[in-house]
Amino acid sequence: MGERLYKTHCANCHMDGGEGLGALIPPLAGSDYLVSNRERLACIIRYGLKDTIVVNGKTYAEQMLGNDKLNDIQVTNVVNFMLQSWGNKQEPVTFEEVKASLSKCR
């Protein structure tokens, strides 16, 4: 389910292989940002990102729109797909972690 949701809602910008889009859209594949900002990922997916961020040593300033149509289970599935795809080998997040994270954002 996470892969299907990613392809529908995220791959347009971050690409199918998670490589991002040049200097505009950061990569998710092999991304140090995913590791160091794990607790923010659900909020970013739901509400977007307007900050300048650094991913793998490169600065990205393009705004990311959120997707408030995804429910908490779908956000959990997308986060876990990203954390475990394209060479990323992070521990999965739980539904409870995502709910707690989402309750703190915005």
Side-chain angles (χ1 to χ4, degrees), residues 58 67 78 95:
K58 291 177 99 175
N67 191 327
V78 171
F95 175 70

PDB file of all heavy atoms in Angstrom, residues 58 67 78 95:
ATOM      1  N   LYS A  58      23.393  18.941   0.231  1.00  0.00           N
ATOM      2  CA  LYS A  58      22.876  19.910  -0.735  1.00  0.00           C
ATOM      3  C   LYS A  58      21.673  20.639  -0.138  1.00  0.00           C
ATOM      4  O   LYS A  58      20.842  20.033   0.526  1.00  0.00           O
ATOM      5  CB  LYS A  58      22.440  19.212  -2.026  1.00  0.00           C
ATOM      6  CG  LYS A  58      23.581  18.641  -2.838  1.00  0.00           C
ATOM      7  CD  LYS A  58      23.051  17.906  -4.040  1.00  0.00           C
ATOM      8  CE  LYS A  58      23.133  18.788  -5.250  1.00  0.00           C
ATOM      9  NZ  LYS A  58      22.733  18.083  -6.489  1.00  0.00           N
ATOM     10  N   ASN A  67      -0.260  16.749   1.764  1.00  0.00           N
ATOM     11  CA  ASN A  67      -1.422  16.022   1.286  1.00  0.00           C
ATOM     12  C   ASN A  67      -2.311  15.686   2.480  1.00  0.00           C
ATOM     13  O   ASN A  67      -2.152  14.640   3.111  1.00  0.00           O
ATOM     14  CB  ASN A  67      -1.006  14.754   0.547  1.00  0.00           C
ATOM     15  CG  ASN A  67      -2.173  14.135  -0.170  1.00  0.00           C
ATOM     16  OD1 ASN A  67      -3.307  14.205   0.288  1.00  0.00           O
ATOM     17  ND2 ASN A  67      -1.906  13.529  -1.306  1.00  0.00           N
ATOM     18  N   VAL A  78       3.201   5.339   3.755  1.00  0.00           N
ATOM     19  CA  VAL A  78       4.124   6.092   2.893  1.00  0.00           C
ATOM     20  C   VAL A  78       5.470   6.275   3.597  1.00  0.00           C
ATOM     21  O   VAL A  78       6.525   6.064   2.996  1.00  0.00           O
ATOM     22  CB  VAL A  78       3.526   7.456   2.481  1.00  0.00           C
ATOM     23  CG1 VAL A  78       4.567   8.308   1.770  1.00  0.00           C
ATOM     24  CG2 VAL A  78       2.315   7.260   1.589  1.00  0.00           C
ATOM     25  N   PHE A  95       2.121   2.955  13.727  1.00  0.00           N
ATOM     26  CA  PHE A  95       0.949   3.802  13.588  1.00  0.00           C
ATOM     27  C   PHE A  95       0.859   4.760  14.777  1.00  0.00           C
ATOM     28  O   PHE A  95       0.548   5.943  14.611  1.00  0.00           O
ATOM     29  CB  PHE A  95      -0.307   2.930  13.473  1.00  0.00           C
ATOM     30  CG  PHE A  95      -1.581   3.704  13.433  1.00  0.00           C
ATOM     31  CD1 PHE A  95      -1.910   4.467  12.327  1.00  0.00           C
ATOM     32  CD2 PHE A  95      -2.457   3.670  14.505  1.00  0.00           C
ATOM     33  CE1 PHE A  95      -3.092   5.190  12.285  1.00  0.00           C
ATOM     34  CE2 PHE A  95      -3.645   4.393  14.462  1.00  0.00           C
ATOM     35  CZ  PHE A  95      -3.964   5.147  13.352  1.00  0.00           C
TER      36      PHE A  95
END
